[in-house]
Amino acid sequence: MNLGYYPGCALHGSSNDYEQSLRACLAALGVTLAEIDDWICCGATSAHSLNHKLAIALPARNLALAHRQGLAEMFAPCPMCSMQLLRAGQAMAADKRLREEIADIVEAEVDGGPRVLNLIQVFQRIGLDKLKGAVRTPLQDLKPACYYGCLLVRPPTVVDFDDAEQPQSMEAIVTALGAKPVAWSYKTECCGAGMTMAKTETVLELSGRILANAVAHGANCLVVACPMCHVNLDMKQADAGAFLRTKFDLPVYYLSDMVGMALGLGAADMGIDRHFVVGGGN
Amino acid sequence: MSRIGVFVCWCGENIARTVDVEKVVNSIAELPGVRCAQHYKYMCSDPGQAMIREKIAAEKLDGVVVASCSPHMHLKTFRRTVATAGLNPYLLEMANIREHCSWVHHDREQATAKAIDLIRLSVAKARYDRKLEPIRVPVTRRALVIGGGVAGIQAALDIADSGYEVVLVERDPSIGGKMAGLSETFPTLDCSQCILTPRMVEAGQHPRIRLYTYSEVESVDGFIGNFKVAIRQKARYVDMSKCTGCGECSKVCPLKRNPSEFDYGMGMRPAIYMPFPQAVPARPVVDKEVCAKIIRNGCGLCEKKCAPGAIDFKDTDKMVEEEVGAIVVATGYQLYSIGREQNSDKLRGYGEYGYGKYKDVIDSLQFERLVSASGPTNGELKRPSDGKIPQKVVFISCVGSRDNAKGMPYCSKICCMYTAKHTMLYKHKVHGGEAHVFYMDIRAGGKGYDEFVRRAIEQDGAKYYRGRVSKVTEENGKLIVRGADTLAGIPVTIEADLVVLAAAMRPADGVADLAQKLNVGYDEHGFLLESHPKLRPVETNAAGVFVCGACQAPKDIPESVAQASAAASKVAVTFAASELTREPEIAHINEQTCAACFACVRTCPYHAVEKAEIRARSGALIKHTARVNPGLCMGCGTCVAVCPSKSADIEGFSEEEIYSMVEALA
Amino acid sequence: METTAGAQPAIPQIESLSQTRLAECYQCGKCTAGCPTAGQMDIPPTRLIRLLQLGDSDSALRANSIWQCVSCQTCTTRCPKRVDCAAVMDALRQLAFERGTLSPDERRTVLFQKAFLDNIRRHGRLNEIELIAAFKGAVFLRDRSLPFLFRDAGLAPQLQKRRKLHLVGEQAKDRGVVARIFARTTPRSTHGGAQ
């Protein structure tokens, strides 16, 4: 299977462990990734906060580049990117005048952009049965709290993925890998998103509550599919614990880490050794 | 030659301000066939009507055209006028020069010209009017009531007490409906079953009420005064003629733990069970989905234990036919099921409230059963997860109501009142407990209702927060309810032991199918359509079919009872004479020219055209033909449009009349 | 506080940017109830929309709420009237930025967003080290806070040893088109909007 690939700034920046992880695991599953040629930033929080037109133009440029490359589908591992790409795509599909205006702004044909997939959808596309069959080391000691965060499932009118209130798609995958996901209450609560630098206290409070609820429901690790969430829950875990006057020791895995571990890949292969919280793990 | 009289009304200033009535009269008087034309200020008034009667006599008129308001206003009035003057009322035509002319145009010259044209049309039609007689249809003076809740019971009792037989069909094994499961009712806090069961017993024992429980209406044929109804009596596996209701069978049944329908899953019942202790009829029923004897020929303990030998595992569904003259639909409601399983694509439930995920998040009917003295916990409010008495209960209003995005846009009307009631019932049982209510508005418009809600707040200490709840999560064994109070402008979070959701009221399951069988309309939510929301709230557009109670719209018990009695009175009106009169402006088929293609039979929306045979006296078949049932036809004209041999036509709106109008304009 | 019923020009702009009709909000409070940062907002979302309904965009544009908002989309997802509250927040942020009517306590957040966009405009892709330097520098110029300047400095070696630190970031090859995209979408008045 060949997919277009839009890494986004985080995966080529300080979340390059996520890229290492997903490249290793998808290669093992026979998926090739065709990186979008000369992609640019999707605009993230800043564009949609300060400049509505720009917030459509930047992702639109990337959809156009993918279209130019002849890609029918593209995989965006960061939900902020995937949500912006989907939203721009939808806005232009609904409004011909906007489409033409944006085409002029981004200097490229924006008609018929590719389908945008998140990490969970890529695994669903590969097929849970195939995943299950490829498992060498069932993750039977892992009791993950599957954490979706915000933009994988919201707003439902844009992302149209799983259930916005009680999603189960990640649980289905980790169960197929032999793990025992816990039932907990903070699956879709916000971790603080892009406020890590600008409003650190907000992130510490929100992420701290998520970690606390996971622990309270018997989880021994967290699984995420977003680089932003990973930073807030992993890199900031010690600070979040201090903020809530407690200590956390919960490894935070990317979903691709879980799949890779189950396939028998090593921690170093996938960049798990580059996380901040080591804990139990591989 | 026709002798038509034309009467042009000023309608005060309504017509005369825009239409030059003098000019109209002068113009019309010259038309061939018009014997006389005059105008008057208020044609519908006594002097106006007298003028018409005088002219009919003086000029020996054989047709009358009244140019005035819409026929919706005064067609009946003027028909009576001409009838009293001895002229057949169907020789009257009305030209609408008010709603269709003076009220929608400003230019006096153009409006006058149009008024003249409209009257010319009516004159042209009037020349071809024929005398018609109203159609008489016999009436079977028995009524069918579908649904045995409080509305159905009230309607049945009223009709039966008026002297007519009633067939009461209820699909559950007992009558009583939702009200039988309530704890106490607002605003009096009467014990619900105490006030309902006497009515239930009366309905069960009434000499003129024939009760079919555990039964459903399978099909309805016929028309007002002459309905044939097929009823399916589902198999109970209990012989009602032998059973004494002793209950030994239930005691001995080994399959004790099936979720109880009556308790909405808050309690359990055996496979053979009495619906509830006060059931009418007080006889058990076997749940064929779980009974071991029925599924795999095992067990059979109840059959062995039953002394009168009333258990009959060979029982089957039975079909019964009843003939009735009027039908009252009282099928009631169901609560919006808040979880993920929905019976409609448009509804997705409320995952954010955790219903179905957390045991202690329940809906309002489940709460009623928990506080009911005859409920699964004997009136002790024990929460489902661990049986402990909750010290903090949060009530969330408007779950599924007033929600364009995920639920129903309408207000379910009763929830504000029953939520206040719930806080009071809770506080009366748990004196130290805290009751918290999240609401959007308080709808308490009935008699004593607002005072009731204030009592809950001011005397019983319920805390009310004005805002919706966004999410219910669980932490450390407590339910965390995240709401808001918009009056103070702050988010409000409460740690609760029990959360009660006031779910939206929806029409009962299967009502759409039933409506199709009855030819009754229903709206996008499934609520049955009344003929007119203001003036005809219990009639439907299907003649002889009436509605009452929550099947028409969300409403409380007093309204349901009032509507039930209203429907009963409409039934009494229907039965007042031994014959019913219908308007004669219906279709008829020329049986000589009819080619028996039956396109009309297929297209008639009222199923009013039948296939018939014309036979000689010897019995030999001469030809097939279509034939209109004068009791059912509504005169819509569809058959006229589809008939390829021009054999179908409408009395009073014949092709001849309509073409003459077209030619008059050309 | 008296509010005038007459709408100021900001409000049609807010409705147009967010594609919402403010009149559809019936003030149920579900947005405030689910907002993770409502406790830190001076004007929670419900009241913000109410002020806009009453014609008072001034108070809304000065509120700290719009900068406390983390764009989690919970409000929009749960609104029973399909009012896109998150988009209203975006619209308010954009207008506040363009007009310079910012809550003074929230300058840091705006400086961050602005630094982010400047970074993208120059490189096409985010250069993290440069962003942090620019952001911290801009904040220091305003409030001279040394603790803030050097907070997280200890992270650098931590990231370095995990090979997550990129002193020189990536760039898009065609940076000209990026600059042009920015030029075409940025109104003339907003360069350096955050005062």
Side-chain angles (χ1 to χ4, degrees):
Chain A
M1 186 164 68
N2 185 49
L3 288 173
Y5 176 54
Y6 176 83
C9 303
L11 268 80
H12 279 201
S14 55
S15 297
N16 53 7
D17 51 346
Y18 187 11
E19 177 162 68
Q20 181 182 1
S21 165
L22 67 88
R23 277 193 180 279
C25 124
L26 289 180
L29 289 165
V31 178
T32 49
L33 299 174
E35 189 165 326
I36 313 278
D37 187 36
D38 207 21
W39 57 269
I40 59 173
C41 175
C42 71
T45 313
S46 311
H48 76 71
S49 291
L50 300 185
N51 189 331
H52 177 85
K53 205 38 79 63
L54 184 68
I56 300 188
L58 290 174
R61 167 98 185 143
N62 293 296
L63 290 171
L65 292 173
H67 177 61
R68 207 185 262 174
Q69 248 172 277
L71 295 163
E73 287 180 323
M74 67 194 247
F75 159 44
C78 166
M80 169 60 87
C81 304
S82 60
M83 201 280 267
Q84 295 301 331
L85 289 163
L86 285 165
R87 187 150 69 175
Q90 270 184 13
M92 292 188 299
D95 184 346
K96 184 166 188 276
R97 219 187 32 82
L98 178 68
R99 211 154 59 230
E100 289 163 3
E101 189 188 354
I102 295 290
D104 286 338
I105 292 174
V106 306
E107 300 174 13
E109 181 74 45
V110 298
D111 267 351
R115 253 197 88 194
V116 180
L117 304 174
N118 61 45
L119 181 64
I120 301 177
Q121 284 170 317
V122 172
F123 288 126
Q124 286 176 334
R125 182 62 63 79
I126 291 169
L128 258 60
D129 288 329
K130 184 159 176 219
L131 271 182
K132 212 168 173 178
V135 170
R136 297 245 184 74
T137 342
L139 306 173
Q140 55 211 23
D141 294 328
L142 288 186
K143 291 197 290 230
C146 293
Y147 176 65
Y148 295 76
C150 302
L151 303 177
L152 272 176
V153 295
R154 291 193 297 267
T157 46
V158 172
V159 302
D160 189 21
F161 172 66
D162 204 346
D163 181 78
E165 299 296 348
Q166 306 283 355
Q168 291 288 335
S169 50
M170 228 195 281
E171 276 88 342
I173 293 173
V174 302
T175 305
L177 302 173
K180 294 179 188 50
V182 303
W184 64 309
S185 319
Y186 271 61
K187 281 202 248 201
T188 57
E189 301 295 314
C190 183
C191 67
M195 295 295 165
T196 325
M197 284 263 97
K199 278 197 156 324
T200 317
E201 269 79 38
T202 302
V203 166
L204 298 182
E205 160 126 36
L206 296 180
S207 292
R209 286 206 226 134
I210 292 165
L211 291 160
N213 194 273
V215 169
H217 285 83
N220 59 15
C221 62
L222 230 58
V223 196
V224 302
C226 168
M228 205 81 271
C229 301
H230 193 270
V231 163
N232 289 342
L233 293 164
D234 171 63
M235 186 173 94
K236 290 293 190 188
Q237 190 173 121
D239 288 347
F243 187 82
L244 294 183
R245 293 184 219 278
T246 181
K247 259 190 163 60
F248 296 117
D249 184 27
L250 225 55
V252 183
Y253 297 115
Y254 290 106
L255 184 59
S256 45
D257 290 340
M258 300 282 273
V259 174
M261 287 193 287
L263 293 178
L265 298 177
D269 292 330
M270 289 186 301
I272 295 177
D273 58 339
R274 298 205 274 141
H275 295 178
F276 275 73
V277 178
V278 174
N282 192 311
Chain B
M1 197 59 207
S2 303
R3 301 170 70 88
I4 295 172
V6 178
F7 300 87
V8 181
C9 186
W10 292 36
C11 194
E13 280 302 297
N14 278 300
I15 293 175
R17 180 182 25 202
T18 317
V19 171
D20 184 346
V21 292
E22 188 76 49
K23 189 162 173 207
V24 168
V25 160
N26 291 337
S27 180
I28 294 296
E30 316 214 323
L31 287 178
V34 175
R35 180 78 189 134
C36 63
Q38 42 264 310
H39 57 78
Y40 184 67
K41 230 172 182 194
Y42 300 103
M43 205 56 79
C44 56
S45 65
D46 270 345
Q49 293 188 45
M51 178 199 283
I52 297 176
R53 283 197 297 271
E54 280 157 23
K55 284 290 177 189
I56 290 173
E59 303 286 345
K60 293 190 185 25
L61 301 177
D62 61 14
V64 166
V65 172
V66 175
S68 61
C69 52
S70 161
H72 278 281
M73 288 291 299
H74 281 310
L75 182 62
K76 279 207 172 80
T77 313
F78 292 122
R79 280 207 176 139
R80 253 183 273 125
T81 310
V82 307
T84 49
L87 189 65
N88 184 289
Y90 297 95
L91 299 176
L92 166 93
E93 289 297 325
M94 281 185 77
N96 184 346
I97 60 171
R98 189 180 76 171
E99 282 87 337
H100 285 185
C101 192
S102 69
W103 270 2
V104 294
H105 298 303
H106 303 290
D107 185 307
R108 195 172 164 83
E109 216 177 282
Q110 291 185 341
T112 306
K114 179 172 172 179
I116 292 171
D117 277 341
L118 288 172
I119 297 172
R120 272 200 304 125
L121 291 179
S122 292
V123 169
K125 181 166 186 265
R127 292 176 62 199
Y128 291 97
D129 276 346
R130 300 194 308 149
K131 293 183 196 175
L132 299 173
E133 295 300 324
I135 296 161
R136 300 194 191 284
V137 165
V139 182
T140 307
R141 282 141 119 180
R142 294 172 85 234
L144 168 69
V145 176
I146 307 176
V150 66
I153 290 170
Q154 182 66 47
L157 286 173
D158 283 344
I159 298 170
D161 285 341
S162 311
Y164 307 110
E165 263 186 38
V166 177
V167 174
L168 177 55
V169 177
E170 165 55 52
R171 85 174 156 194
D172 280 346
S174 165
I175 56 174
K178 298 292 183 297
M179 190 177 168
L182 299 180
S183 165
E184 288 164 44
T185 56
F186 59 77
T188 49
L189 295 184
D190 279 318
C191 154
S192 181
Q193 283 184 348
C194 304
I195 56 176
L196 180 66
T197 45
R199 297 279 175 98
M200 285 166 61
V201 171
E202 205 188 328
Q205 295 178 346
H206 202 294
R208 279 189 290 279
I209 296 181
R210 187 178 293 192
L211 186 56
Y212 291 104
T213 54
Y214 210 45
S215 304
E216 293 194 59
V217 169
E218 189 104 324
S219 69
V220 178
D221 282 317
F223 52 98
I224 179 174
N226 300 272
F227 291 111
K228 278 194 184 42
V229 183
I231 299 167
R232 173 186 295 275
Q233 275 186 296
K234 298 182 285 195
R236 264 187 198 247
Y237 304 97
V238 171
D239 186 337
M240 303 288 269
S241 64
K242 294 189 185 141
C243 173
T244 59
C246 69
E248 289 298 313
C249 50
S250 301
K251 292 203 194 111
V252 85
C253 175
L255 296 171
K256 294 238 180 288
R257 299 192 61 76
N258 307 288
S260 159
E261 291 87 345
F262 187 70
D263 290 331
Y264 305 105
M266 295 285 98
M268 300 291 168
R269 55 144 179 86
I272 181 169
Y273 64 102
M274 190 77 79
F276 52 98
Q278 303 87 343
V280 168
R283 301 284 181 269
V285 62
V286 176
D287 180 354
K288 68 177 189 204
E289 307 287 319
V290 303
C291 169
K293 174 86 182 186
I294 292 174
I295 294 176
R296 49 185 173 74
N297 205 21
C299 193
L301 282 173
C302 56
E303 190 178 18
K304 298 190 188 91
K305 184 78 181 179
C306 177
I311 311 285
D312 174 16
F313 283 110
K314 292 199 186 56
D315 199 2
T316 52
D317 290 358
K318 287 185 198 52
M319 296 301 297
V320 182
E321 227 192 50
E322 292 280 0
E323 287 181 10
V324 296
I327 301 175
V328 176
V329 186
T331 48
Y333 71 96
Q334 61 176 319
L335 279 192
Y336 177 42
S337 64
I338 306 158
R340 289 219 59 196
E341 290 95 44
Q342 299 290 338
N343 50 16
S344 158
D345 287 332
K346 291 183 289 178
L347 303 172
R348 289 194 322 272
Y350 285 84
E352 62 261 50
Y353 294 141
Y355 183 83
K357 184 176 176 186
Y358 307 121
K359 278 214 166 97
D360 295 325
V361 176
I362 59 176
D363 69 26
S364 35
L365 282 175
Q366 289 171 322
F367 183 79
E368 292 277 349
R369 294 313 299 149
L370 288 179
V371 293
S372 170
S374 60
T377 55
N378 293 317
E380 272 197 82
L381 180 54
K382 294 182 184 161
R383 63 181 201 163
S385 63
D386 57 8
K388 291 208 180 86
I389 312 281
Q391 297 304 309
K392 251 196 205 167
V393 182
V394 170
F395 299 90
I396 302 178
S397 305
C398 304
V399 179
S401 306
R402 304 182 65 187
D403 189 327
N404 295 58
K406 289 204 309 201
M408 273 60 65
Y410 55 81
C411 165
S412 292
K413 199 164 186 186
I414 60 171
C415 334
C416 285
M417 283 303 291
Y418 73 57
T419 296
K421 177 190 79 174
H422 284 173
T423 64
M424 289 156 96
L425 296 182
Y426 170 65
K427 293 286 284 182
H428 296 172
K429 285 186 195 293
V430 184
H431 294 302
E434 285 179 30
H436 302 265
V437 177
F438 284 95
Y439 72 99
M440 286 216 308
D441 293 290
I442 300 293
R443 295 193 168 175
K447 192 164 172 175
Y449 283 19
D450 204 81
E451 298 94 308
F452 181 81
V453 178
R454 293 310 308 172
R455 192 175 125 199
I457 297 170
E458 292 165 17
Q459 284 174 23
D460 286 314
K463 293 200 174 33
Y464 270 61
Y465 307 92
R466 200 254 161 212
R468 273 195 190 260
V469 166
S470 183
K471 191 161 180 173
V472 177
T473 56
E474 178 265 319
E475 264 169 272
N476 303 320
K478 290 263 185 201
L479 291 166
I480 312 299
V481 179
R482 285 193 234 157
D485 184 290
T486 62
L487 299 176
I490 53 171
V492 173
T493 304
I494 310 223
E495 285 183 14
D497 301 316
L498 180 71
V499 173
V500 182
L501 305 174
M505 258 180 131
R506 296 180 62 206
D509 249 346
V511 75
D513 287 336
L514 180 64
Q516 303 263 349
K517 291 174 188 161
L518 296 167
N519 279 330
V520 170
Y522 49 94
D523 68 14
E524 72 206 275
H525 308 294
F527 288 112
L528 299 179
L529 282 178
E530 64 289 315
S531 288
H532 190 278
K534 288 281 201 194
L535 297 180
R536 298 172 69 189
V538 296
E539 298 160 81
T540 69
N541 283 339
V545 181
F546 308 99
V547 288
C548 60
C551 65
Q552 180 255 348
K555 58 176 64 76
D556 58 19
I557 293 168
E559 288 169 332
S560 299
V561 169
Q563 276 200 344
S565 295
S569 82
K570 295 292 178 187
V571 169
V573 165
T574 309
F575 293 171
S578 55
E579 274 184 338
L580 282 176
T581 315
R582 299 193 75 224
E583 293 291 333
E585 284 140 326
I586 59 169
H588 64 96
I589 311 275
N590 181 336
E591 301 193 357
Q592 307 303 319
T593 59
C594 172
C597 73
F598 300 132
C600 52
V601 175
R602 287 191 295 278
T603 48
C604 175
Y606 300 95
H607 309 293
V609 191
E610 293 152 358
K611 296 182 185 176
E613 294 170 346
I614 300 181
R615 291 186 177 271
R617 245 181 296 180
S618 62
L621 176 67
I622 298 178
K623 73 181 293 234
H624 293 280
T625 182
R627 190 171 290 159
V628 175
N629 181 331
L632 277 175
C633 176
M634 298 294 276
C636 71
T638 304
C639 55
V640 180
V642 303
C643 179
S645 61
K646 292 207 167 294
S647 304
D649 208 356
I650 304 260
E651 294 280 16
F653 283 94
S654 64
E655 301 226 318
E656 195 177 39
E657 286 168 304
I658 296 178
Y659 278 120
S660 75
M661 292 167 81
V662 172
E663 279 165 10
L665 265 185
Chain C
M1 181 199 87
E2 290 260 325
T3 61
T4 51
Q8 294 152 353
I11 292 180
Q13 216 182 338
I14 292 167
E15 288 198 312
S16 161
L17 278 171
S18 62
Q19 292 286 292
T20 18
R21 266 208 309 253
L22 292 166
E24 287 177 359
C25 167
Y26 58 10
Q27 294 286 294
C28 74
K30 197 161 179 180
C31 48
T32 299
C35 174
T37 54
Q40 280 96 283
M41 292 182 178
D42 51 5
I43 304 180
T46 314
R47 235 169 73 212
L48 214 56
I49 304 230
R50 181 61 184 154
L51 289 167
L52 293 174
Q53 285 178 335
L54 294 175
D56 180 5
S57 54
D58 254 2
S59 306
L61 289 168
R62 275 173 226 285
N64 74 11
S65 321
I66 58 184
W67 306 105
Q68 295 284 351
C69 166
V70 287
S71 300
C72 72
Q73 304 285 333
T74 303
C75 48
T76 292
T77 301
R78 296 213 181 118
C79 176
K81 294 299 261 53
R82 294 200 187 99
V83 172
D84 195 343
C85 183
V88 172
M89 288 298 206
D90 269 340
L92 285 168
R93 280 188 282 260
Q94 180 170 331
L95 286 190
F97 177 64
E98 284 171 10
R99 294 172 185 210
T101 56
L102 301 171
S103 160
D105 301 323
E106 300 306 318
R107 252 185 263 118
R108 265 187 209 171
T109 311
V110 183
L111 287 173
F112 180 81
Q113 311 292 18
K114 189 171 174 309
F116 190 106
L117 285 184
D118 283 342
N119 194 297
I120 302 300
R121 183 165 44 86
R122 277 199 300 280
H123 303 294
R125 300 181 187 178
L126 186 67
N127 278 232
E128 287 171 345
I129 301 302
E130 204 183 291
L131 167 65
I132 294 171
F135 168 57
K136 294 268 183 182
V139 172
F140 184 71
L141 279 176
R142 270 201 190 30
D143 41 0
R144 310 280 165 191
S145 159
L146 281 170
F148 187 77
L149 187 64
F150 290 112
R151 193 170 78 175
D152 306 317
L155 263 181
Q158 301 257 24
L159 290 169
Q160 168 68 351
K161 95 172 176 205
R162 289 173 171 81
R163 299 178 332 268
K164 289 177 167 219
L165 197 71
H166 307 282
L167 281 172
V168 180
E170 286 185 357
Q171 299 212 90
K173 282 178 284 194
D174 185 354
R175 290 187 293 289
V177 72
V178 179
R180 289 193 295 280
I181 290 174
F182 269 80
R184 288 173 188 135
T185 54
T186 308
R188 271 163 294 149
S189 58
T190 59
H191 294 296
Q195 298 311 320

